[in-house]
Amino acid sequence: MTRVPAQPVPSVPDGPGSGSGPEPGAGPRGGRSRLAALAGPLGTLAAVAAGVTLVSLRDPHEPGHYPTCPFLALTGLYCPGCGAMRMVNSLTHGDVGAAFGLNPLLFLLLPVLGYLWVSWAVRTARGEPMGSVLFRPRVVGVFLAVMMAYWVVRNLPFAHALAP
């Protein structure tokens, strides 16, 4: 087996487009890629804002504006999300007490959801992966257990205060 001598690599001047380094604005701290990376959090914020606006303007307390919960329609039982649209509508109209009464679990989770969104947006802007203590398996397990208990208890006769 014979050895072939290495060919010299032609030199390319350093600068934009030279391939010698990251393009300006293309790194994790750059402008264009930061905005592109924030598409997820900003798109989620826009979708939530659009949904809240729709629910605020089109009252879910009035029958016929929105479809019935499929779980409620099939079983006659409330799911953990039942009352969520009416809760959002009540919040947007300043009726905090009614909002809490319509879906207490979701009402109490709103600050947690807000924290997770802010954490996601900040970490994304910094080029860091999303992470939180709230994503640990034990915490997720406890949350799922609480949600399942809420689902069952809100359908029992003595817990009518949890029903929407």
Side-chain angles (χ1 to χ4, degrees), residues 24-55:
R29 303 262 186 217
R32 287 180 295 174
S33 67
R34 181 179 302 173
L35 187 58
L38 285 173
L42 293 177
T44 301
L45 180 64
V48 169
V52 167
T53 302
L54 175 66
V55 171

Side-chain angles (χ1 to χ4, degrees), residues 28-163:
R29 303 262 186 217
R32 287 180 295 174
S33 67
R34 181 179 302 173
L35 187 58
L38 285 173
L42 293 177
T44 301
L45 180 64
V48 169
V52 167
T53 302
L54 175 66
V55 171
S56 174
L57 298 175
R58 192 98 169 150
D59 191 358
H61 293 90
E62 296 178 21
H65 284 182
Y66 298 98
T68 304
C69 169
F71 186 80
L72 178 64
L74 289 172
T75 66
L77 300 172
Y78 298 117
C79 76
C82 280
M85 285 196 297
R86 287 176 281 157
M87 180 200 74
V88 170
N89 179 272
S90 294
L91 276 177
T92 60
H93 290 93
D95 194 351
V96 177
F100 179 79
L102 289 165
N103 195 320
L105 180 63
L106 182 58
F107 183 88
L108 294 174
L109 286 175
L110 287 176
V112 175
L113 295 172
Y115 159 77
L116 287 173
W117 183 86
V118 168
S119 178
W120 179 31
V122 168
R123 286 175 178 262
T124 299
R126 292 180 181 165
E128 300 171 2
M130 177 57 186
S132 173
V133 173
L134 299 175
F135 296 148
R136 290 186 179 160
R138 178 170 280 160
V139 176
V140 171
V142 168
F143 168 73
L144 290 175
V146 167
M147 187 178 71
M148 295 302 287
Y150 175 73
W151 193 343
V152 170
V153 171
R154 81 184 309 203
N155 286 293
L156 297 175
F158 68 84
H160 65 277
L162 295 177

Side-chain angles (χ1 to χ4, degrees), residues 6-43:
Q7 298 293 324
V9 178
S11 65
V12 178
D14 287 344
S18 68
S20 62
E23 295 287 327
R29 303 262 186 217
R32 287 180 295 174
S33 67
R34 181 179 302 173
L35 187 58
L38 285 173
L42 293 177

